[in-house]
Amino acid sequence: MKRLLIFLLFIISLSNCENNKKSTHNKEQDSKIESGYHNHKKVAELNKKGIEFSTESFDKAIKIAKELNKPIFIDFSTSWCGPCKRMDNFVFADSIIGDFYNENYICLKYDAEKGEGITLANKFEVQVYPTLLFLSPKLEIKLKHIGYKGPEEFLKLGYNAVNKELSFGSVPNSLSKYNSEIKNLIEFSSFVAYLNPSEKDSVLFDYFQDISQSKWYSSQYFHLIENHSYSIFSPLSKFVIANRNKYSELFSKARIDKFISGLMLFAINTPKAVYGKSYNNLSDDEINKLLFSELLKIDSVLANKNRLNHEINLLCKTVRENNNDTKIWDSLFTKVGYYNNHYLHLDKEWNNFLNDWSHRASILAPINLEIANYNETCMKRAKSKLAENDYNKFAKGLSIGTVERFVSIEKQSRNSKKELTIALRILAESYSVSKIWANDFLSRINVSDEDIINHKEAIIKNAL
């Protein structure tokens, strides 16, 4: 319990900063913190009646809103946004929140970087996530909030947007208790995030020992497991795997499969870190064989998927240093082709875009951009082997990777500028990038070359 005591001290130090009062860590304080979790007995039920987001298209949702004379609530998020996930698991999942929003709003949810979400994010000038948008049935913007809101604050937003008053004293008592619990959970989550990866599993498990096991199935506590688990062999990871069917029913099979697959990939990438010092006497081959045999017992499909993905990523790095070796290129194309035929459908289902040609090509970008005609050579090989759609992803990924490499190197040479110019030209002429990426990386290119400046301007103009 030593690590748990460290966290309790961490919470108390936060309280000191906020209230400017001195406090000591004692049994009474521990009791108060513990009671904040155990007094609220229905947390496991909260994810059953949260906000019901409509699956209708935006046009159809507008029509429904006008017919029912209901305002519209839209949550704009992205797959990588941490505060967005906290909203999903800690706020939208609450039954009191769900009761109010389901009754008073047509609720919509969009990934601002996918499908219809891209168009709507541009329409309503959404650039930061999460963005919480409240519209009248006539699409007038009643309220637009950027960033995370806790349960109480989010409920008040909903009341204010429909011109209803909600005084602090009239907030349901159960929601106030839940709101307090969520604040503690988020503080603990922030604490764990700063730990060394090897410490996270034991700290999490110590913490969960004081939590009723029924709560381990709630969205709030699974969020902690999902975001901070390090080893696939940790007690909490094993608990999820042992109760995989129940978790899949609660959170979808795709989400649980993605969680297990992510732990597998981490284990395959760093097997000795996962197993610990007791296995240091084994050779790399021995520990890899042992690890893979264990992963096969958990899920043979996911184990084979992640082993192949690991091999492909290693090949990408090998190609980067031997880009004229035809055999290595052929091996890469063959393995990726097999992966795409057997496992790519899982990545699409999980919204995991790290295993397509765009990501793989970004790995191929050379470290220092000093290899003459590197991009041109790679593009020619890819064009001769890949279908048009995959080639487009390859060209975009390699170009993005080249730009990111350029801004990271200290000394810029004639060849690095040449490779950068090629990459920017390809992006400017053929592919759109996100505004966030464009603002982040293009702003760091301090080169006076006219072609580079023109390409940068074109990319920014067309950014999504």
Side-chain angles (χ1 to χ4, degrees), residues 63 68 77 86 94 125 162 191 233 257 262 279 286 316 320 382:
K63 185 177 179 181
L68 300 177
S77 61
R86 288 204 297 271
D94 176 56
E125 299 181 348
V162 291
F191 165 71
F233 303 119
D257 286 354
Y279 288 83
E286 288 173 330
C316 286
R320 193 168 63 195

Side-chain angles (χ1 to χ4, degrees), residues 4-69:
L4 182 55
L5 292 175
I6 293 172
F7 168 61
L8 297 178
L9 287 170
F10 169 77
I11 290 180
I12 295 169
S13 67
L14 286 177
S15 178
N16 286 341
C17 294
E18 293 175 0
N19 300 320
N20 197 28
K21 294 179 181 179
K22 292 185 179 181
S23 177
T24 58
H25 181 243
N26 52 39
K27 292 183 179 180
E28 181 181 356
Q29 185 71 32
D30 284 351
S31 177
K32 289 180 180 178
I33 293 173
E34 183 177 350
S35 65
Y37 293 99
H38 293 292
N39 284 344
H40 189 65
K41 297 180 180 180
K42 296 185 178 181
V43 174
E45 299 174 10
L46 293 179
N47 64 331
K48 295 181 180 179
K49 295 182 180 179
I51 292 181
E52 297 173 352
F53 288 100
S54 173
T55 58
E56 301 287 357
S57 67
F58 185 64
D59 289 340
K60 183 67 179 294
I62 293 172
K63 185 177 179 181
I64 295 172
K66 289 179 178 178
E67 290 175 353
L68 300 177
N69 194 31

Side-chain angles (χ1 to χ4, degrees), residues 181-198:
E181 178 173 2
I182 292 308
K183 287 180 180 178
N184 284 343
L185 281 172
I186 291 174
E187 287 174 355
F188 176 70
S189 182
S190 299
F191 165 71
V192 176
Y194 283 100
L195 294 174
N196 291 326
S198 59

Side-chain angles (χ1 to χ4, degrees), residues 18 136 155 204 316 401:
E18 293 175 0
S136 73
L155 185 62
L204 270 178
C316 286

